[in-house]
């Protein structure tokens, strides 16, 4: 079945919002053996109608996101109803759900809010447990005079769309999608190795497997190798990839590096403390995004200044004076401080120059030391160099730090 | 001029990667008075060629991203050259730049890497300072027999595309884009107020201004109000918006809330410390994403466990025992501890239940206390409730905490 995603919203085309819907929907429907064949973004207004007419013959299932709110730029429902020549009717249950939700929170209810209770005749309401505007499902060819795909009209905010998708869209999809199920996808995540090097190691042998699609996706300090094909072809490919890449693979089941770290620590009954200077809390943020992180995570000290390094982590003033804050000696002392203060099994410390300011000839912007110390006395420190933009720098340091710890676990 | 963005990459349609290019490009070209009228995503392979043929007549400027790497699924250059019937030539300067970059880093150079030096005849190379594959600019109608827009073919990884765009794409765009410049955009960012309420306050009066486009974009605990129109219309709209929304507006110049906080603190010569439990480092991460944060940021303590709250922040065991870790009393003690340990002017503390586990009837998942304490003795604590998914919960708490501090500054 051909699945198409149409994202509506001037804010997407002005760059005010990053579109996360495509990635989310794609990941969800993969479980049903469905793949998105095409995606488009159009602004609010008449362009929606043109895109719908253009996409109806190109889709068996069409997801439309955005433009369901109560403000005057929210026109998706009206325009869809117009395209399909369906009447709009107010659904009293939707009205009641909106009233209940807003009055419980003591929120004002301007008259415009009730526009969100309008539903094209014959449409099925998809309740919105995280907001006011419901989603709508329109079965294929709902108006017999107009050929149309199965349509799911979904709210723009991800925090509303995502739970609605899990609870209400997936069951309908399961019913309508005649999923073939004979194609599976497997991803291997590899840290700290370039994509050309990876392809050189595995590409030749994989090419020998018939009807296998191979993809490489580079992220900061990570490459995802993706194989798509029959279960047999994917199994054969997986063997080759595991044999050739070995422990450089940190995950073959969609786990993020931080999830792997938390799982490995929890399995071993061990704990982690963080002493972050240049990563400024990103390592802690990534670790605490993992549900259940509290089992393995003891705490973090974000110490930007020398005083904080001395005070919170007992770094010696001599080390700071003699070697400078960005040095192996200080990184190692930061790990000792973090372990002593928290009693954690392992500590990671980062200290570097994220930029844009603060670089010197000797230690240019991008210089960073990552130290790891463990209860068993093992301590190591790597000097790395990631010149570039501040947020990418933080990402690269975080990936490297986590991967170094992973290899120790 | 009609600007279209074509993103290529099976990884985008499989949901392995979130497409950030559209938002980035849109924001950049707005400075030239250009807006994206349409965006599409297609998989690697022949779909690229079909999309190019479909979009050539719909665009004056066409940005194509992705598929420039050295692996076998990278076909964008070949397919574009085929569409435009242009020969591919190896550029020796590109080859040399690749060789230099990789040998400096001691990276292996498999034979496939040199595919990245192939350029369609007549194309202009856009150097890649953050990776190996260069971008390419093809002027409009480069092959006189085939009508085509100005094309910019850009690498997939954002950390490569973005610096290339700033340095090499923008100057060409300035030359080719006959920017009208008579339409400007202004955004007002409002914290902690719903979009319907905002529209009710400002929508009526704004509707009285001719030829003004108004948009509302809801994010976690934030609504961006966008007005697009002539400088005069936008100025009139801005007056109304400021008068009606007052100090709920935290930014009218694209600043993020964390940037506003860092700027306000720096202006006043004041400093901030963070004591994070349920936000797990996100506040620190957001603050340290702001260049120059070190001026105003003293440090953060990420204390997930009771022991850490006692040890790192001197929270009293009695408070934890009597009121529980998720309580006003503990939140306030956390701020005191953070201020005492760092000497910061202000401290923010967060303690709550991010979920999915850990909720009780009395304190369900989503319960959170945010406390702020300042040198002048002013201490406040708010109890908030954000049921929902873990990462959104962290975002909502962070926005609220920063906005509460902003109103105090």
């Amino acid at each position: 079945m051909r699945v198409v995603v149409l994202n509506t919203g001037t804010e997407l085309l002005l760059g005010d919002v990053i579109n996360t819907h495509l990635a989310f929907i794609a990941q969800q429907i993969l479980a049903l053996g469905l793949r998105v064949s095409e995606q488009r973004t159009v602004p609010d207004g008449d362009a929606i109608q043109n895109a719908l007419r253009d996409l109806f013959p190109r889709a068996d299932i069409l997801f439309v996101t955005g433009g369901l709110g109560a403000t005057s730029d929210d026109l998706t429902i009206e325009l869809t109803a117009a395209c399909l020549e369906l009447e709009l009717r107010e659904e009293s249950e939707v009205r009641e759900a909106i009233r209940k939700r807003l009055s419980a929170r003591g929120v004002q209810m301007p008259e415009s809010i009730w526009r969100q209770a309008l539903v094209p005749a014959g449409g099925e309401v998809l309740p919105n447990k995280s907001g006011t505007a419901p989603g709508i499902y329109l079965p294929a060819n709902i108006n017999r005079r107009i050929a149309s795909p199965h349509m799911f009209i979904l709210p723009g905010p991800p925090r509303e769309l995502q739970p609605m998708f899990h609870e209400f869209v997936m069951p309908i999809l399961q019913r309508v999608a005649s999923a073939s199920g004979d194609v599976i996808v497997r991803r291997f995540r590899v840290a700290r190795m370039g994509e050309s090097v990876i392809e050189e190691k595995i590409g030749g042998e994989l090419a020998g497997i018939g009807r296998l699609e191979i993809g490489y996706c580079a992220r900061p300090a990570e490459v995802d190798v993706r194989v798509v094909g029959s279960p047999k072809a994917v199994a054969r490919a997986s063997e080759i990839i595991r044999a050739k890449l070995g422990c450089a693979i940190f995950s073959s089941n969609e786990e993020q590096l931080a999830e792997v770290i938390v799982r490995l620590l929890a399995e071993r009954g061990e704990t982690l403390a963080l002493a972050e200077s240049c990563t400024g809390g990103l390592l802690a943020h990534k670790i605490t995004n993992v549900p259940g992180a509290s089992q393995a995570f003891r705490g973090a000290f974000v110490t930007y200044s020398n005083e904080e390094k001395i005070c919170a982590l007992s770094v010696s003033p001599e080390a700071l004076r003699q070697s400078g804050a960005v040095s192996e000696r200080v990184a190692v002392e930061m790990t000792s401080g973090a372990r002593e203060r928290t009693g954690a099994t392992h500590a990671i410390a980062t200290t570097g120059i994220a930029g844009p300011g603060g670089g010197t000839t000797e230690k240019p912007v991008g210089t960073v030391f990552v130290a790891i110390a463990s209860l068993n006395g093992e301590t190591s420190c790597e000097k790395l160099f990631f010149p570039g933009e501040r947020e990418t720098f933080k990402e690269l340091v975080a990936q490297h730090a986590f991967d170094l710890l992973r290899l120790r676990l």
Side-chain angles (χ1 to χ4, degrees), chain A:
Chain A
M1 291 183 101
R2 296 162 306 160
V3 179
V4 174
V5 175
L6 174 63
N7 303 113
T8 76
T10 301
E11 66 272 20
L12 295 168
L13 293 171
L14 282 173
D16 292 356
V17 176
I18 287 172
N19 181 1
T20 58
H21 294 320
L22 172 60
F24 172 79
I25 292 173
Q27 286 181 344
Q28 297 305 309
I29 66 174
L30 208 54
L32 303 174
L34 295 172
R35 291 173 65 168
V36 179
S37 56
E38 187 179 356
Q39 175 266 348
R40 297 191 186 180
T41 309
V42 295
D44 299 318
D46 293 340
I48 296 176
Q49 226 163 351
N50 296 333
L52 288 174
R53 295 215 167 97
D54 203 19
L55 291 173
F56 278 179
R58 300 173 65 87
D60 299 304
I61 297 173
L62 176 60
F63 295 100
V64 183
T65 70
L68 306 191
T71 52
S72 50
D73 54 347
D74 293 313
L75 296 166
T76 303
I77 299 290
E78 272 114 314
L79 295 173
T80 305
C83 259
L84 292 168
E85 299 174 16
L86 298 173
E87 206 184 314
L88 284 174
R89 295 178 188 160
E90 186 178 290
E91 290 279 335
S92 56
E93 275 175 38
V94 175
R95 190 179 172 107
E96 180 55 20
I98 295 172
R99 198 197 55 72
K100 230 166 146 181
R101 179 181 177 83
L102 295 183
S103 64
R105 295 175 183 226
V107 173
Q108 295 172 43
M109 280 174 263
E111 191 51 38
S112 61
I113 210 98
W114 307 118
R115 289 182 58 213
Q116 299 174 106
L118 295 174
V119 174
E124 188 175 321
V125 169
L126 311 171
N128 186 342
K129 295 192 173 171
S130 318
T132 46
I136 291 166
Y137 163 58
L138 303 174
N141 308 316
I142 182 169
N143 178 342
R144 299 208 169 177
R145 290 174 294 115
I146 299 168
S148 68
H150 293 280
M151 282 184 72
F152 295 89
I153 306 176
L154 302 169
R159 68 180 186 285
E160 299 181 17
L161 180 144
Q162 295 182 6
M164 183 186 294
F165 205 97
H166 289 302
E167 194 168 351
F168 301 107
V169 176
M170 287 297 276
I172 301 176
L173 274 180
Q174 263 155 349
R175 213 172 61 216
V176 303
S178 57
S180 64
D182 59 351
V183 166
I184 63 168
V185 180
R186 182 149 227 184
R187 292 183 193 80
F188 296 87
R189 302 189 156 179
V190 181
R192 298 186 295 145
M193 191 185 277
E195 60 175 355
S196 315
V197 174
I198 293 174
E199 185 170 47
E200 200 186 36
K201 285 181 192 286
I202 63 175
E205 281 201 52
L206 291 185
I209 302 174
R211 293 161 47 109
L212 183 79
E213 182 192 330
I214 306 149
Y216 301 88
C217 173
R219 302 166 191 268
E222 179 179 328
V223 173
D224 295 356
V225 179
R226 180 185 65 239
V227 286
V228 185
S230 69
K232 205 175 146 195
V234 168
R236 177 78 196 103
S238 302
E239 265 174 47
I240 294 169
I241 292 169
R242 283 187 193 286
K244 299 283 179 183
L245 299 179
C247 72
I249 299 169
F250 68 81
S251 158
S252 56
N253 61 358
E254 315 287 311
E255 270 186 323
Q256 304 285 339
L257 198 39
E259 292 175 289
V260 174
I261 296 290
V262 169
R263 180 176 49 75
L264 290 175
L265 288 169
E267 280 168 14
R268 300 158 61 112
E270 296 181 348
T271 54
L272 174 65
L274 301 168
E276 304 192 47
S277 181
C278 61
T279 47
L282 177 59
L283 272 66
H285 174 48
K286 281 176 176 274
I287 290 284
T288 60
N289 275 350
V290 181
S294 48
Q295 266 188 79
F297 178 54
R298 273 297 168 88
F301 301 85
V302 182
T303 57
Y304 243 43
S305 64
N306 284 355
E307 299 76 57
E308 276 309 297
K309 289 182 181 76
I310 295 167
C311 169
L313 291 167
S314 312
V315 170
S316 64
E318 296 71 42
L320 288 162
R321 205 167 41 239
Q322 289 166 10
S323 310
V326 177
S327 64
E328 172 163 348
R329 186 166 161 202
V330 166
V332 170
E333 288 196 11
M334 286 169 73
T335 58
S336 312
R339 282 204 47 247
E340 273 164 31
R341 293 288 168 105
T342 63
T345 324
H346 309 276
I348 301 177
T350 63
T351 179
I353 302 156
T360 63
T361 325
E362 209 183 316
K363 291 174 185 171
V365 168
T367 305
V368 57
F369 291 84
V370 175
I372 302 184
S374 301
L375 180 62
N376 64 7
E378 203 183 331
T379 299
S380 61
C381 185
E382 287 210 8
K383 183 181 181 179
L384 301 160
F385 184 50
F386 301 124
E389 176 272 328
R390 190 177 177 92
E391 290 188 45
T392 309
F393 168 86
K394 288 170 72 176
E395 277 294 333
L396 289 167
V397 177
Q399 284 286 106
H400 272 256
F402 286 147
D403 200 50
L404 291 173
L405 176 62
R406 176 184 68 90
L407 293 174
R408 177 172 293 195
L409 294 175

